[in-house]
Amino acid sequence: LERITFTNIRDLPFVVSLLKCQQTLDLSCIQFFNCCFLSLNAYDVEHALQAEMYSRWLSFLVPAKPNRLRVLKLEKSYLAPMDCYQYETDEYDSQLQRLNGQLHDIQHVAGCIDQLEGIVLSEVEIVRCGSYNCEFAKLCRLILNNLSFFPKLKSIHVHQQDRYDRLPERKDMQLQFLSNSNFELCTNLKWNDGQTVRTIADSNPELKRLCLVLDMQHQGGFRADCDFMQDMHIVPDALCYLLSQTKNLKLLQIVCTLSNHNKYDESSQISEDARNDFEIPDDDCCGKFTFFIAFCKAIGKALSKRFRIHQTPLLFKLHVRSSHWHNNAKCSLKFNEYQSQQFGETMVQLMSHYFMIYPVGKFQLKYTRNTKVNNYQFDRLHETHFKRMNAIFDCCWNKFQDDDFRQYAFSAKCKNVSNEIDYDN
C-alpha cells in the first residue's frame, strides 16, 4: 500500500484502531478529504488509553524516519487539538502535553518528513466543527513558515478562509526560491490583491507552475456601476509583472468559481426538496460571470500595454466553474444573447493580445457546470466566435456531458507552431 485517503470520516478512534491493525504502513501519500476529527475526549475514550492512541495517530500523521511520505493532503478537513487540561496532575495528561508539543516543534516535524515534496491545505467549513482551532492548519503553517527545513518541497497548494485559524499573510510568508525545476504554487486570491501576485513573483523567480483560484466575494455584489470596477486593473497589472519576472513559467492557470454554497453546510437540516428547489441569488452566478468577463477584459488590456515578445511555450488556462448543491438547481446564469456575445468578444480579444506576447504559447478555456440548465447560448459560442478563430489560430473545441455534468473546452495556438513543443497540460 502506497497511498491512503480518508473521506467523510468523523470517527478518530476508528481510524486509530485501523492504524493499529496496519502497523507496517509506509505510505508515500496521505490524504484527508472532508474529515472532522474531534479530541479523543469527545469520543468517550478511556483517559488511560488516550496517550497511546494519540501517539499512534501522530506517528501516522508525522511518521518517524525512515519513511516514504512525499505528499500530505489536508483538504476541507479539521483536526481538533487534544484536550490535556482536565487532568492537570495525571501522568497521562503530561504525556498528551508532550505529544502536542511534538506536533508544534519544527525540529521534530522536519526531522521526520524533510523529504516532503508536496503539501495541500484547502478551506474547511468550520461551522460544522464548532471550533476555530485546527491542528491541520497549524501543521501546514509550521511547514510554510520554515521552508528551508524542507529542501525537496516543490508543490504548495493553499486555499484558506479569512474567518478561521488563518495561515500567516502570504506577503509575510517569504516563499523562498526552491532549487527545483518543477516548483509549483496554487493558492486562492482576492480579486483586488495584486500585492500577493507581486510577492510571489519577487520571491519565486524560478517558479514553473502557478494556479490562482480567484475569490470574487464582494460586499456590494457585482454590478457594472460598482466602485470596485475602478480597481479591476490591479491583479491583471500584477500578472503582467509576474510574467516579466518569472522567465521559466510554463503554466499560468486562473480558476473562477461562480457559485458559493459553502454557507449551506451539508450537515444542516435542509430537506432534499429544498435542495432541489434551491435557487442561486441573481447576484451570484450571473453577477460573478459578468465580473469574470470584466476581469478578462482587464487582462487583455494589461497585455496590450506590453511590447516585449517571449519565446516561452507558456500555457495560459482559464477555468470557469459553476457548481451547485444539486444538479436540478435553478442557476441564475442563463447565458442570454448579450452576455454570450460579450464573453465571446472578450475571449477573442484576450487571445489576440496574449499571442502577440507569447507567439509560441497556448491558450485554453474550460467551462464546467453540474446543473441541467440548457445554456444553449454557450453552445453557440463555437459557431459565433471560436470557430471563426480557425482563420487565425489552430483551434480545438470539445464538449462533454452526462446527466449531471457539462464541460466545454477550447484551446488555441498560433498557426505554424511546431507540434513537438511540450506544453505543461
Side-chain angles (χ1 to χ4, degrees), residues 75-93:
E75 302 182 72
K76 296 185 178 181
S77 296
Y78 172 82
L79 174 62
M82 174 58 66
D83 294 333
C84 39
Y85 54 82
Q86 297 183 2
Y87 307 89
E88 297 181 355
T89 60
D90 198 311
E91 61 176 312
Y92 301 111
D93 182 66

Side-chain angles (χ1 to χ4, degrees), residues 291 293 404:
F291 167 87
I293 294 175
D404 57 358

Side-chain angles (χ1 to χ4, degrees), residues 147-191:
L147 291 178
S148 60
F149 286 86
F150 304 90
K152 293 190 176 182
L153 190 62
K154 63 183 180 182
S155 180
I156 300 174
H157 293 238
V158 182
H159 306 284
Q160 66 184 59
Q161 290 181 341
D162 288 340
R163 63 179 182 271
Y164 78 84
D165 184 19
R166 301 181 60 190
L167 293 171
E169 294 290 341
R170 278 183 289 268
K171 63 183 179 181
D172 296 329
M173 282 170 55
Q174 297 180 347
L175 287 173
Q176 64 195 70
F177 160 61
L178 304 179
S179 56
N180 190 298
S181 60
N182 295 313
F183 182 50
E184 64 180 18
L185 175 65
C186 180
T187 185
N188 59 318
L189 181 75
K190 288 192 177 296
W191 63 272

Side-chain angles (χ1 to χ4, degrees), residues 263-367:
K263 58 184 177 181
Y264 296 92
D265 179 68
E266 61 180 12
S267 63
S268 60
Q269 300 299 320
I270 302 178
S271 67
E272 188 65 23
D273 291 339
R275 290 179 188 267
N276 293 348
D277 296 335
F278 174 64
E279 184 171 358
I280 302 294
D282 289 338
D283 64 347
D284 196 9
C285 269
C286 187
K288 289 180 179 179
F289 189 77
T290 301
F291 167 87
F292 178 73
I293 294 175
F295 183 78
C296 290
K297 285 183 179 179
I299 295 179
K301 185 177 180 179
L303 289 174
S304 68
K305 299 177 182 179
R306 303 194 64 84
F307 302 101
R308 181 182 176 184
I309 297 177
H310 300 263
Q311 296 299 329
T312 306
L314 174 65
L315 175 59
F316 182 27
K317 303 176 71 171
L318 292 176
H319 184 189
V320 186
R321 298 176 55 201
S322 178
S323 60
H324 303 276
W325 268 117
H326 199 278
N327 58 5
N328 288 325
K330 297 181 177 66
C331 178
S332 64
L333 183 59
K334 303 297 184 182
F335 277 103
N336 57 54
E337 186 171 355
Y338 173 78
Q339 197 172 42
S340 177
Q341 180 77 9
Q342 288 290 310
F343 180 58
E345 291 179 356
T346 299
M347 291 299 105
V348 171
Q349 294 174 6
L350 176 57
M351 282 188 287
S352 299
H353 291 307
Y354 171 69
F355 287 124
M356 289 180 185
I357 307 298
Y358 288 90
V360 295
K362 188 175 182 179
F363 177 88
Q364 288 185 354
L365 171 67
K366 184 187 295 184
Y367 168 69

